[in-house]
């Protein structure tokens, strides 16, 4: 039997990573999921998302690696960008932070391939994330595997998997600045 290529999938949340993990397994990869999200606020939200990721990884039989929940690291990368709109410069810095940390982990573990589940969201820019991933991969002599998981109903599939497992579903990207910018819903 041929040895499978290893890959680290950065997971932003269980909803977004459900289909990408399945896709990568079907593509022949040995998948390790890396939950590194110091941007998530508050701590209770982080814990809900982490528990959902644990449930997903147990169900799919893949390794879960939990990164440090280092809020200061995120706040430092977002410094001066707190009022940026969603999809603005703050998000780009956050993507860089999480992709770079994923690359560092891959390098430390001797795994040549990495990617991210962030790209499955219809609200995220695949070309931008792939470009950032490629630049970071070059820096660490790794391969960023740019797969647009949205294609072929990927977003629908990830939601179906998440629903079948009754995974926690969040209603914002995760950072406190995006949460503050959300419109307030009033009872009618």
């Amino acid at each position: 039997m041929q040895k499978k290529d290893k890959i680290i999938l950065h997971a932003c949340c269980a909803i977004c990573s459900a289909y990408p993990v399945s896709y990568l397994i079907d593509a022949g990869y040995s998948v390790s999921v890396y939950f590194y999200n110091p941007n998530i606020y508050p701590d209770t939200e982080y814990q809900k998302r982490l528990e959902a990721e644990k449930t997903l990884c147990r169900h799919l039989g893949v390794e879960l690696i939990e990164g440090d929940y280092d809020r200061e690291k995120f706040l430092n990368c977002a410094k001066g960008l707190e009022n940026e709109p969603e999809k603005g410069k703050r998000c780009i810095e956050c993507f860089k932070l999480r992709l770079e940390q994923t690359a560092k982990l891959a390098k430390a573990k001797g795994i040549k391939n990495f990617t991210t589940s962030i790209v499955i969201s219809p609200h995220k820019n695949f070309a931008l994330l792939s470009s950032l991933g490629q630049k970071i991969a070059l820096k660490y002599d790794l391969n960023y595997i740019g797969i647009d998981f949205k294609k072929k109903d990927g977003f629908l599939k990830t939601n179906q998997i998440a629903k079948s497992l009754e995974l926690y579903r969040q209603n914002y990207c995760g950072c406190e600045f995006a949460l503050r910018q959300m419109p307030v819903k009033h009872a009618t």
Side-chain angles (χ1 to χ4, degrees), residues 40-74:
I40 298 174
Y41 173 87
D43 179 65
T44 53
E45 180 71 17
Y46 178 87
Q47 292 304 323
K48 288 176 188 175
R49 293 184 193 201
L50 176 59
E51 288 307 312
E53 196 67 50
K54 288 177 180 178
T55 298
L56 176 69
C57 289
R58 272 193 307 270
H59 176 77
L60 296 174
V62 297
E63 175 187 27
L64 173 64
I65 303 164
E66 182 184 352
D68 292 334
Y69 182 55
D70 185 352
R71 295 263 315 126
E72 286 304 312
K73 199 169 215 171
F74 167 71

Side-chain angles (χ1 to χ4, degrees), residues 51-174:
E51 288 307 312
E53 196 67 50
K54 288 177 180 178
T55 298
L56 176 69
C57 289
R58 272 193 307 270
H59 176 77
L60 296 174
V62 297
E63 175 187 27
L64 173 64
I65 303 164
E66 182 184 352
D68 292 334
Y69 182 55
D70 185 352
R71 295 263 315 126
E72 286 304 312
K73 199 169 215 171
F74 167 71
L75 292 173
N76 286 335
C77 106
K79 193 169 186 85
L81 303 171
E82 296 88 350
N83 295 317
E84 279 285 312
E86 187 73 14
K87 301 181 188 178
K89 293 176 186 173
R90 181 186 64 247
C91 294
I92 294 169
E93 293 306 311
C94 182
F95 297 152
K96 286 180 189 175
L97 172 67
R98 294 186 284 162
L99 287 171
E100 179 125 11
Q101 206 61 32
T102 304
K104 287 178 180 178
L105 176 69
K107 190 75 172 178
K109 289 191 161 285
I111 298 173
K112 293 291 286 180
N113 305 301
F114 74 101
T115 193
T116 183
S117 67
I118 298 171
V119 298
I120 200 165
S121 170
H123 305 292
K124 303 299 185 239
N125 183 322
F126 172 75
L128 169 70
L129 281 154
S130 293
S131 174
L132 294 172
Q134 295 295 342
K135 287 176 187 171
I136 291 167
L138 282 173
K139 181 177 173 180
Y140 292 94
D141 191 30
L142 300 171
N143 303 314
Y144 176 78
I145 309 299
I147 300 168
D148 192 349
F149 294 114
K150 284 187 284 290
K151 294 204 173 196
K152 298 184 181 176
D153 291 325
F155 189 65
L156 174 66
K157 291 173 184 173
T158 209
N159 278 291
Q160 288 170 335
I161 295 166
K163 188 175 182 178
S164 73
L165 295 175
E166 299 178 350
L167 297 176
Y168 170 71
R169 179 173 298 280
Q170 65 273 4
N171 62 357
Y172 66 105
C173 84

